[in-house]
Every structure is written in C-alpha cells, then in structure tokens.
Amino acid sequence: MDKSIVILGSGTAGTLTANRLRRMYDERECRITVVDQNDDHVYQPGLLFVPFGLAEPHALVRPRPRQLLDGIAYRSAEIDRVDLAAEQVHFTDGTSLGYDVLVVATGASLLPEETEGLTGPGWGEKVHTFYDLPGAVALHQALERFEGGRVVIDVADLPIKCPVAPLEFAFLADWYFQRRGIRDRVELTYVTPLDGAFTKPVAAKALGGLLEEKGIELVTEFALGEVDGAGGRLVSYDEREVPFDLAVVVPVHGGAEYVERSPGLGDELGFVPVDRHTLQHPDHPYVFAIGDAAGLPASKAGSVAHFEGEVLAHNIGRFLAGKPLDASYDGHTNCFIETGFHKALLIDFNYDTEPLPGHFPGALGLPLLKESRANHLGKLAFEWLYWHSLLPGRELPGIGSAMPEHGKTHTPA
Amino acid sequence: MTTTTYDDTSVTVDDEGFFTDPGQWTEPMAQQIARELDIETLTDRHWQVLKFMRTEYEAKGTGPTVRVLGKTSGVSVKELYQLFPKGPAKTAAKIAGIPKPRGCI
C-alpha cells in the first residue's frame, strides 16, 4: 500500500489523528502530511485561566511540529481551497497537494465582526473575549483595573468552542472578585441565547442553581443583535437591553475560511457535514472531518476530538483497506466545569444521554454534576495528560470513546 | 406528550406544543397556531420562512437555527425577529409543525 493522507489543521484533533494514524502505518505504507497556517499550538482549556492570572500565557503555547511523531510531514502553509473533484488541496502560494484521504481538522474560527458593533468602540477596552490568547491577556489587564460595576458574560450564538467555558468564567469571576474583596461592588450577569443555563434539562437545572447560589443573574433567550460599546449596552434582536461596564462576549463561530471557497465541502456556517457516527463526508467518501471543524450535533470540545480520534483512525484504516466502516462515534463528551474556590463539576454525556448525576467512569469514580475538589484536581491534571497522552494519540486508561453507562443515575423525567 | 386539535384534526405535540409528527401538519393549521402565538396574519414572508423550515427539517432532521435561517432563507435575522418576535427558530418551527430545533451544545 502506498497511500497519502493529508490532514488539514494541527490543533487537538488534527495532531492526535496524525499520531494515531502514524502508529497504525509506517512511512512506506502511508504518507501522512499535516498542514497548518501557523506553528503555534495553544492549549485552549488554559485560556479560561489567563484572565484571572491563574495561567501564564506563554506556558500555553508549544510548537505544532514538535507534537507530531517522527515520520509525519509538517507543512506550514495557508490553504486556498480544496478541489474535491481533482482530490487536490491548493495553497495560497500557488502549490498544491494530492491525497487519497483528506481529514479536515481546521477547527472553528471566531467571527466577532459578524455581530454589529462588537469590534467597534470599546472593543479591547470594555468589551472583551477570552476565546483567543491576545483577548484573554487583554481581559486579564481589564479585570485587574476593574474596581466595581456591571460585568456581563454573553454568548452571542451557538455553536461555540467549549460551551461550558462561559459559565466557568462567570463562576471564576465570582471567586476572583471575592478574593479581591470587591464582590459586593460587582453585579455579575450571565446572558445566553439558550432557554436555560445549559441545553439539557438536568445539567441546566444544576448549573442554573449554581449561578443563583453565587448571586449571578441569568438572562435567557437573548440573541445578541448589537453591542453598543460606547453606551455600555448589549441589545438583542428583540430589542431587549443588558447594560454593562465590562462585557465578556463569546463571538459567533464559523468554520475555516477556505471551506467556503471549496464548493461542496462545507455547510452554510463553514463546518464540514459528516456522518455523525463514522465521521465520513456524505457526498465525498475520501473526505472525513473531526473536532470543531465537523458539523455535528456534538460539543466543540477537546474531549470530543479525543473520542472521535479513536473512531476516525480505525475507519480510515478500514476505508484504505476497501472494507466497510464499522467504528461508530456515539457523541461522547466529557467536561470539567471549574466553579471557583478550588472546586469543579464534571459532566459526561453523548448524543442520546444527557449529562446525568452519578460517577465517572464507574461507580467509584469522580462525582458527576456535583462540585468537588477531586474534579478540580482532575482539571488541573488534564493539562499534562493533554500534551503527553492525548495529543500523542495514546489511550487514556479506563476512558474509551464510548460513553460509560455504569455509574450514572438515570432520574425519571 | 399530549394531543391537541388544529383544523378539527387531533395532532400529537410535546410538552412545549411542538409537533412530534410533522406528517400530521397541514397548511390550514398554521394560521391557527400563529394566532395562538400572537401573530395575527401569516404573510408571504412568513410562509417563505415556514416552507424553508420544513424543507430543512426534511433534509437534516432538525430545524435550522436563527443564524442559519438568516444566511439561507432569504430573510435577514432582523426581519426574522420582526416576523416572529418571540424567537424565530422556535416560533417558526412550532407554526411549521416540526419538532423543537435541537439546541447546539
């Protein structure tokens, strides 16, 4: 076999997929090429901690090529478009690359300019985001200067990377202002387009309860139409207003730009539609997508990329061998939710089962949907696992792609 | 799950009033559902959105989000909120007789 696999994107999903495939094939069997437009791999879960001074920005960044196993070719280039008929990736420097299998792993992009006024007056001063490194650093400085007033955390629209991160930000802001001794001078408001604190009923109730306990106001079904930075107002499409002195906005997300320039590759938001179980493109069997780039009804989260990676590598192996795809991703997602004061919750769910209470991965494991110090330590330990186990494409002991059922408490509807 | 009556026909809806079987929906039912949601008259622009919702549901198994509607239905997000003030994705899904759009997670 002399095949070529091209992986577009060298973030969490692209890197772990390349490494998993490299473990399956030696260089003579299969050439694996990974493409990215910059060489900085950011540990994105760490972005949450930067605004509160709990993580050093430079410690979150490592070189992309260094995360790839020997024998994987790395190419630093900007993608112009994919020609699906010719099975070629074209780059903006005029060169191109053919493939037998293409994996789209170029993640999700922040599109703040899509919301009226968001990048206008006040952007970077009293209107911030922590969803990229420069934004998180600027927000750290703004929080340090903040002496009191209305702080609003707003999710502009979904889907977004790590849907629990804005909630975690609200919980940590409560902790941060208490630690600074000015919590009584700060009004915290959490604004969401959803009809509750989270999508699924049991988790929405638990997380909504935590917001209430911490004195954080919850504004629901708020579709952000405009940010008036100068006037300090968020305005919804149905003309409701939320005033602020400091706004932390999670901008709308879309897929990578080249997806829109590649006819037949993506959907209307630039994400790549794939079968939700096999991760294969419905119209182009040579094309797969993984992680945030995939247009799936799953969270855009690193754990999803991890669990999908196991399925994807196996299915690509079957595809190249001319066999039917038999590995099936179940939508498994697993998130630690930092709640401040050295505690965190854990949620675990899939396409069919909402986040439920109980324990993970089994009856004697970490508590689900309940604050605990053990979960906080788990979240901190995850950074080491990320660089040394998850990205290299190793299995995490006891944690496989399929969502574990034992340990969960199914409450009656 | 419960049943309700539109256009003298019994249909199955969920706890929030969304159709669970889009096959039970007929166009005459739409006006009655709209009135219950304080939309007095369904204009051609309303119908453009409602028909788009049903087509999308048939193709993808879920109704589109407001942002996708704004990009693809031919009606801007601003106008969508004028047509369906209480939230276009959910209101239009209810009137179009399709299940509640799945929220992204």
Side-chain angles (χ1 to χ4, degrees):
Chain A
M1 186 171 87
D2 177 22
K3 299 287 185 185
S4 171
I5 301 173
V6 171
I7 298 169
L8 302 179
S10 177
T12 307
T15 302
L16 66 85
T17 300
N19 289 335
R20 279 182 177 273
L21 289 166
R22 183 71 191 79
R23 290 176 195 282
M24 284 168 55
Y25 298 112
D26 69 31
E27 287 171 72
R28 284 162 303 177
E29 289 178 299
C30 198
R31 278 165 288 129
I32 300 169
T33 307
V34 176
V35 179
D36 211 299
Q37 59 181 350
N38 68 56
D39 294 349
D40 290 338
H41 185 123
V42 178
Y43 175 66
Q44 294 188 58
L47 293 174
L48 170 71
F49 295 114
V50 171
F52 303 105
L54 297 170
E56 289 296 328
H58 64 84
L60 304 179
V61 187
R62 297 191 184 184
R64 293 191 193 278
R66 293 265 297 277
Q67 314 312 316
L68 298 168
L69 297 179
D70 286 348
I72 296 171
Y74 177 78
R75 183 162 177 172
S76 189
E78 199 175 325
I79 304 157
D80 177 42
R81 68 195 161 86
V82 176
D83 184 338
L84 290 163
E87 289 164 27
Q88 292 276 324
V89 182
H90 295 281
F91 301 102
T92 54
D93 63 7
T95 60
S96 59
L97 193 58
Y99 57 82
D100 294 300
V101 166
L102 182 75
V103 178
V104 180
T106 33
S109 310
L110 307 181
L111 305 171
E113 62 286 350
E114 281 209 7
T115 298
E116 194 178 329
L118 179 54
T119 54
W123 178 237
E125 292 161 18
K126 60 180 189 176
V127 181
H128 291 267
T129 185
F130 65 98
Y131 265 52
D132 60 19
L133 201 50
V137 171
L139 181 53
H140 175 49
Q141 290 157 0
L143 283 177
E144 282 197 319
R145 289 193 301 266
F146 197 75
E147 292 302 329
R150 293 177 304 261
V151 177
V152 172
I153 299 108
D154 175 70
V155 177
D157 198 3
L158 295 163
I160 56 167
K161 294 191 272 189
C162 193
V164 295
L167 278 165
E168 293 180 282
F169 187 93
F171 297 145
L172 283 173
D174 167 65
W175 165 82
Y176 172 85
F177 290 121
Q178 284 203 41
R179 199 189 57 167
R180 282 187 49 196
I182 59 167
R183 179 65 179 92
D184 57 342
R185 280 187 265 152
V186 179
E187 275 176 50
L188 281 172
T189 306
Y190 186 80
V191 183
T192 172
L194 295 173
D195 54 14
F198 200 63
T199 41
K200 311 281 181 151
V202 177
K205 202 173 159 198
L207 294 164
L210 264 182
L211 287 173
E212 201 178 333
E213 254 174 54
K214 293 173 188 291
I216 302 166
E217 189 194 351
L218 174 64
V219 176
T220 58
E221 297 191 272
F222 190 95
L224 183 64
E226 184 195 343
V227 177
D228 173 9
R233 297 177 309 147
L234 301 182
V235 186
S236 66
Y237 279 109
D238 57 0
E239 293 169 358
R240 284 181 289 153
E241 292 188 5
V242 175
F244 65 81
D245 295 301
L246 182 71
V248 180
V249 178
V250 182
V252 298
H253 286 40
E257 269 184 42
Y258 75 87
V259 175
E260 286 184 33
R261 293 193 293 266
S262 307
L265 183 60
D267 64 17
E268 51 283 296
L269 298 180
F271 297 117
V272 176
V274 286
D275 181 278
R276 68 189 203 141
H277 295 301
T278 65
L279 309 177
Q280 186 180 40
H281 197 291
D283 306 322
H284 305 282
Y286 300 93
V287 177
F288 294 79
I290 181 170
D292 296 353
L296 288 178
S299 291
K300 298 203 179 298
S303 66
V304 169
H306 171 213
F307 297 132
E308 287 174 343
E310 191 181 320
V311 170
L312 179 62
H314 179 88
N315 278 346
I316 288 175
R318 299 276 298 184
F319 180 76
L320 288 176
K323 295 175 181 167
L325 310 189
D326 62 357
S328 179
Y329 175 59
D330 67 359
H332 189 193
T333 310
N334 181 293
C335 311
F336 287 109
I337 305 174
E338 196 69 11
T339 55
F341 303 94
H342 313 298
K343 287 183 182 173
L345 280 97
L346 179 64
I347 56 173
D348 191 70
F349 56 102
N350 69 10
Y351 289 139
D352 304 315
T353 305
E354 65 167 312
L356 294 171
H359 291 85
F360 175 86
L364 295 175
L366 295 166
L368 289 165
L369 269 178
K370 198 171 155 190
E371 284 186 283
S372 82
R373 198 167 286 262
N375 286 335
H376 168 70
L377 294 173
K379 176 141 187 153
L380 297 184
F382 184 74
E383 185 167 357
W384 189 92
L385 280 174
Y386 180 85
W387 294 112
H388 298 282
S389 186
L390 195 150
L391 279 191
R394 295 198 179 95
E395 308 294 335
L396 296 184
I399 303 174
S401 174
M403 187 196 74
E405 272 291 347
H406 46 283
K408 289 197 163 64
T409 310
H410 286 263
T411 48
Chain B
M1 215 83 88
T2 178
T3 54
T4 188
T5 304
Y6 291 120
D7 194 33
D8 297 327
T9 310
S10 177
V11 299
T12 317
V13 294
D14 71 7
D15 297 341
E16 294 179 74
F18 291 91
F19 276 59
T20 52
D21 176 5
Q24 294 181 328
W25 178 88
T26 60
E27 289 197 8
M29 293 177 183
Q31 187 62 61
Q32 192 182 341
I33 306 167
R35 250 182 251 119
E36 284 180 8
L37 295 167
D38 299 329
I39 297 171
E40 276 312 306
T41 313
L42 288 175
T43 63
D44 289 348
R45 293 296 271 174
H46 285 105
W47 276 107
Q48 185 175 334
V49 178
L50 297 176
K51 285 179 176 163
F52 185 82
M53 294 288 287
R54 284 191 70 88
T55 311
E56 281 282 291
Y57 176 80
E58 276 160 28
K60 296 178 181 167
T62 182
T65 62
V66 178
R67 188 160 149 233
V68 171
L69 273 177
K71 277 181 183 276
T72 52
S73 68
V75 179
S76 73
V77 174
K78 246 180 195 161
E79 190 184 347
L80 282 165
Y81 271 91
Q82 287 158 4
L83 295 170
F84 305 96
K86 289 180 183 168
K90 282 204 276 187
T91 312
K94 207 174 262 185
I95 300 171
I98 63 170
K100 185 179 176 180
R102 279 198 295 267
C104 296
I105 46 176

